[in-house]
PDB file of all heavy atoms in Angstrom:
ATOM      1  N   ASP Q 186       6.148  46.096-155.145  1.00 98.00           N
ATOM      2  CA  ASP Q 186       5.319  47.210-154.766  1.00 98.00           C
ATOM      3  C   ASP Q 186       5.829  47.863-153.376  1.00 98.00           C
ATOM      4  O   ASP Q 186       5.870  49.067-153.253  1.00 98.00           O
ATOM      5  CB  ASP Q 186       3.931  46.883-154.754  1.00 98.00           C
ATOM      6  CG  ASP Q 186       3.611  45.616-153.832  1.00 98.00           C
ATOM      7  OD1 ASP Q 186       4.603  44.918-153.467  1.00 98.00           O
ATOM      8  OD2 ASP Q 186       2.448  45.419-153.447  1.00 98.00           O
ATOM      9  N   VAL Q 187       6.166  46.976-152.505  1.00 98.00           N
ATOM     10  CA  VAL Q 187       6.629  47.512-151.171  1.00 98.00           C
ATOM     11  C   VAL Q 187       7.954  48.206-151.363  1.00 98.00           C
ATOM     12  O   VAL Q 187       8.178  49.297-150.851  1.00 98.00           O
ATOM     13  CB  VAL Q 187       6.726  46.292-150.139  1.00 98.00           C
ATOM     14  CG1 VAL Q 187       7.391  46.836-148.836  1.00 98.00           C
ATOM     15  CG2 VAL Q 187       5.364  45.793-149.863  1.00 98.00           C
ATOM     16  N   PHE Q 188       8.751  47.537-152.116  1.00 98.00           N
ATOM     17  CA  PHE Q 188      10.057  48.126-152.287  1.00 98.00           C
ATOM     18  C   PHE Q 188       9.958  49.455-153.014  1.00 98.00           C
ATOM     19  O   PHE Q 188      10.686  50.420-152.612  1.00 98.00           O
ATOM     20  CB  PHE Q 188      11.016  47.225-153.199  1.00 98.00           C
ATOM     21  CG  PHE Q 188      12.397  47.787-153.403  1.00 98.00           C
ATOM     22  CD1 PHE Q 188      13.376  47.440-152.438  1.00 98.00           C
ATOM     23  CD2 PHE Q 188      12.717  48.565-154.473  1.00 98.00           C
ATOM     24  CE1 PHE Q 188      14.677  48.015-152.647  1.00 98.00           C
ATOM     25  CE2 PHE Q 188      13.995  49.085-154.662  1.00 98.00           C
ATOM     26  CZ  PHE Q 188      14.915  48.827-153.741  1.00 98.00           C
ATOM     27  N   ALA Q 189       9.064  49.614-153.923  1.00 98.00           N
ATOM     28  CA  ALA Q 189       8.918  50.907-154.590  1.00 98.00           C
ATOM     29  C   ALA Q 189       8.368  51.943-153.720  1.00 98.00           C
ATOM     30  O   ALA Q 189       8.702  53.128-153.803  1.00 98.00           O
ATOM     31  CB  ALA Q 189       8.028  50.658-155.908  1.00 98.00           C
ATOM     32  N   ALA Q 190       7.537  51.523-152.813  1.00 98.00           N
ATOM     33  CA  ALA Q 190       6.856  52.518-151.914  1.00 98.00           C
ATOM     34  C   ALA Q 190       7.841  52.961-150.814  1.00 98.00           C
ATOM     35  O   ALA Q 190       7.558  53.948-150.165  1.00 98.00           O
ATOM     36  CB  ALA Q 190       5.627  51.908-151.262  1.00 98.00           C
ATOM     37  N   ALA Q 191       8.869  52.157-150.547  1.00 98.00           N
ATOM     38  CA  ALA Q 191       9.773  52.535-149.444  1.00 98.00           C
ATOM     39  C   ALA Q 191      10.693  53.582-149.914  1.00 98.00           C
ATOM     40  O   ALA Q 191      11.550  53.380-150.849  1.00 98.00           O
ATOM     41  CB  ALA Q 191      10.567  51.266-149.023  1.00 98.00           C
ATOM     42  N   HIS Q 192      10.650  54.805-149.332  1.00 98.00           N
ATOM     43  CA  HIS Q 192      11.679  55.763-149.691  1.00 98.00           C
ATOM     44  C   HIS Q 192      13.037  55.439-149.148  1.00 98.00           C
ATOM     45  O   HIS Q 192      14.010  55.679-149.771  1.00 98.00           O
ATOM     46  CB  HIS Q 192      11.163  57.178-149.060  1.00 98.00           C
ATOM     47  CG  HIS Q 192      12.141  58.266-149.417  1.00 98.00           C
ATOM     48  ND1 HIS Q 192      12.134  58.826-150.700  1.00 98.00           N
ATOM     49  CD2 HIS Q 192      13.070  58.882-148.740  1.00 98.00           C
ATOM     50  CE1 HIS Q 192      13.049  59.720-150.798  1.00 98.00           C
ATOM     51  NE2 HIS Q 192      13.677  59.823-149.603  1.00 98.00           N
ATOM     52  N   SER Q 193      13.008  54.774-147.939  1.00 98.00           N
ATOM     53  CA  SER Q 193      14.292  54.333-147.398  1.00 98.00           C
ATOM     54  C   SER Q 193      14.013  53.133-146.454  1.00 98.00           C
ATOM     55  O   SER Q 193      12.852  52.705-146.372  1.00 98.00           O
ATOM     56  CB  SER Q 193      14.947  55.495-146.584  1.00 98.00           C
ATOM     57  OG  SER Q 193      16.190  55.085-146.101  1.00 98.00           O
ATOM     58  N   TRP Q 194      15.061  52.528-145.944  1.00 98.00           N
ATOM     59  CA  TRP Q 194      14.980  51.485-144.904  1.00 98.00           C
ATOM     60  C   TRP Q 194      15.757  51.898-143.784  1.00 98.00           C
ATOM     61  O   TRP Q 194      16.891  52.390-143.847  1.00 98.00           O
ATOM     62  CB  TRP Q 194      15.515  50.242-145.557  1.00 98.00           C
ATOM     63  CG  TRP Q 194      14.715  49.576-146.653  1.00 98.00           C
ATOM     64  CD1 TRP Q 194      14.496  50.021-147.905  1.00 98.00           C
ATOM     65  CD2 TRP Q 194      13.843  48.379-146.528  1.00 98.00           C
ATOM     66  NE1 TRP Q 194      13.628  49.234-148.660  1.00 98.00           N
ATOM     67  CE2 TRP Q 194      13.200  48.174-147.804  1.00 98.00           C
ATOM     68  CE3 TRP Q 194      13.549  47.556-145.542  1.00 98.00           C
ATOM     69  CZ2 TRP Q 194      12.351  47.083-148.016  1.00 98.00           C
ATOM     70  CZ3 TRP Q 194      12.713  46.445-145.780  1.00 98.00           C
ATOM     71  CH2 TRP Q 194      12.104  46.283-147.008  1.00 98.00           C
ATOM     72  N   VAL Q 195      15.192  51.591-142.605  1.00 98.00           N
ATOM     73  CA  VAL Q 195      15.811  52.041-141.332  1.00 98.00           C
ATOM     74  C   VAL Q 195      15.878  50.819-140.352  1.00 98.00           C
ATOM     75  O   VAL Q 195      14.860  50.191-140.197  1.00 98.00           O
ATOM     76  CB  VAL Q 195      15.149  53.228-140.708  1.00 98.00           C
ATOM     77  CG1 VAL Q 195      15.933  53.700-139.415  1.00 98.00           C
ATOM     78  CG2 VAL Q 195      14.942  54.388-141.628  1.00 98.00           C
ATOM     79  N   GLU Q 196      17.048  50.559-139.799  1.00 98.00           N
ATOM     80  CA  GLU Q 196      17.096  49.489-138.759  1.00 98.00           C
ATOM     81  C   GLU Q 196      16.224  49.884-137.563  1.00 98.00           C
ATOM     82  O   GLU Q 196      16.241  51.073-137.156  1.00 98.00           O
ATOM     83  CB  GLU Q 196      18.586  49.350-138.306  1.00 98.00           C
ATOM     84  CG  GLU Q 196      19.394  48.566-139.192  1.00 98.00           C
ATOM     85  CD  GLU Q 196      19.154  46.996-139.073  1.00 98.00           C
ATOM     86  OE1 GLU Q 196      18.468  46.590-138.116  1.00 98.00           O
ATOM     87  OE2 GLU Q 196      19.695  46.243-139.906  1.00 98.00           O
TER      88      GLU Q 196
END
Side-chain angles (χ1 to χ4, degrees):
Chain Q
D186 53 344
V187 172
F188 183 86
H192 183 75
S193 187
W194 289 73
V195 185
E196 279 282 352

